[in-house]
Amino acid sequence: MRIGLGCELTYELPKDTPMIVLLNVHYSRVGYLERPDRLVTDPPVPIESYRDLFGNWCCRLVGPRGRFVLRTDGVILDDGETDPVDLTAIQHPVEDLPAATLGYLLASRYCETDLLSGEAWRLFEHGPSGWGRVQAICDFVHDHVRFGYEHSRPTRTAAETYAEGRGVCRDFTHLAVAFCRCMNIPARYCTGYISDIGLPPPYEPMDFAAWMEVYLGGRWWAFDPRNNAPRRGRVLIARGRDAADVPLTHTFGPNTLSGFRVWIDELAA
């Protein structure tokens, strides 16, 4: 399957403004790019690229005063399969977990495991373990939180999402990540593209999406508490402890986002 994907973000900047941008497909999928999704800007500016602490590909630049556009547009090859599932995947005892996963058991900026631990154990201690426990967490979050862009708030934490029962995909993900960590399951936050390929219309306007990966049965698996179903055409951009680690754009100064488009569509073979 060939998938076209990309984005266009338009800013109004009152002065020259440094930015860090995470908009390119994750390095784990770069080998599948038929046409690289290179970052281009209008007007053109120098771009310095580097990898952050989590291995994500970041672009560093200074946006000039006035109208400034960031754009990517690529084509990626995909097997067309839905997210993999293994109902037998086990939860590892903490003492058996690889050292690289342990940081994803800890509290982070938006995932307050200390505040949610008691509720997590009350809700999920007596249910299934392993894959079944993570699915139970996703089912609960999917049913408990009401989705709506009008509910978006960039400072909302997992504990606040639990209390308020509303949010957008990042809030669903933060709450599910926090619950998994409370139950001693490593969980990390992911951002990227989720397509509507294979789904019946009508289709909502496309946006970037958030989901999580959890460590079960010796590997990481994607779970999506917002949609709560395996999807085709899921393309990772970045992963970290929570959204604070992987903002799509980090702008060091005042700005206005005046235009925003995201696309991911199946193309002809």
Side-chain angles (χ1 to χ4, degrees):
M1 177 184 291
R2 300 173 69 242
I3 299 175
L5 47 75
C7 65
E8 184 175 277
L9 282 64
T10 303
Y11 286 89
E12 303 298 332
L13 303 177
K15 60 181 180 180
D16 292 357
T17 305
M19 304 176 74
I20 297 174
V21 179
L22 287 80
L23 292 174
N24 296 110
V25 169
H26 193 259
Y27 72 85
S28 61
R29 298 295 301 273
V30 165
Y32 297 90
L33 285 169
E34 179 182 293
R35 185 176 74 227
D37 62 331
R38 295 188 179 94
L39 177 68
V40 296
T41 68
D42 182 18
V45 298
I47 299 174
E48 176 188 352
S49 298
Y50 68 95
R51 295 200 186 280
D52 66 11
L53 295 175
F54 302 94
N56 302 310
W57 191 247
C58 307
C59 293
R60 181 183 182 187
L61 54 87
V62 177
R65 183 179 63 180
R67 181 177 180 272
F68 183 59
V69 181
L70 302 165
R71 194 173 197 274
T72 67
D73 188 22
V75 176
I76 194 167
L77 304 178
D78 189 84
D79 61 13
E81 300 295 325
T82 57
D83 302 321
V85 173
D86 182 359
L87 302 179
T88 67
I90 63 167
Q91 177 177 341
H92 298 275
V94 173
E95 61 270 24
D96 294 339
L97 286 168
T101 69
L102 297 179
Y104 298 105
L105 290 175
L106 307 179
S108 56
R109 164 69 178 86
Y110 291 107
C111 300
E112 316 101 316
T113 54
D114 52 342
L115 298 181
L116 291 169
S117 181
E119 278 299 278
W121 282 92
R122 182 184 69 83
L123 291 167
F124 307 113
E125 179 180 10
H126 301 294
S129 63
W131 189 281
R133 175 166 285 163
V134 177
Q135 187 58 59
I137 289 171
C138 289
D139 292 343
F140 176 86
V141 172
H142 180 79
D143 294 339
H144 179 77
V145 182
R146 184 172 72 256
F147 179 85
Y149 288 110
E150 69 276 15
H151 305 316
S152 177
R153 187 172 77 238
T155 60
R156 182 182 286 116
T157 68
E160 291 170 338
T161 299
Y162 182 57
E164 297 171 16
R166 59 187 182 182
V168 292
C169 59
R170 61 171 266 162
D171 302 309
F172 284 72
T173 301
H174 283 148
L175 182 54
V177 164
F179 277 152
C180 285
R181 292 177 185 173
C182 289
M183 302 307 295
N184 299 329
I185 301 171
R188 58 194 185 189
Y189 180 96
C190 299
T191 186
Y193 299 91
I194 296 180
S195 80
D196 291 325
I197 295 171
L199 299 180
Y203 303 119
E204 298 179 355
M206 190 54 63
D207 195 356
F208 289 115
W211 64 91
M212 68 176 180
E213 292 176 345
V214 302
Y215 192 82
L216 297 170
R219 57 162 285 186
W220 293 95
W221 303 86
F223 282 82
D224 185 349
R226 159 68 178 99
N227 296 295
N228 204 28
R231 298 290 284 266
R232 291 182 173 85
R234 188 185 302 275
V235 181
L236 179 68
I237 289 177
R239 58 166 70 104
R241 292 165 299 186
D242 60 30
D245 290 330
V246 289
L248 294 168
T249 59
H250 191 112
T251 308
F252 296 87
N255 65 90
T256 300
L257 181 64
S258 59
F260 181 84
R261 286 199 307 129
V262 177
W263 56 90
I264 176 168
D265 302 293
E266 184 177 2
L267 304 177

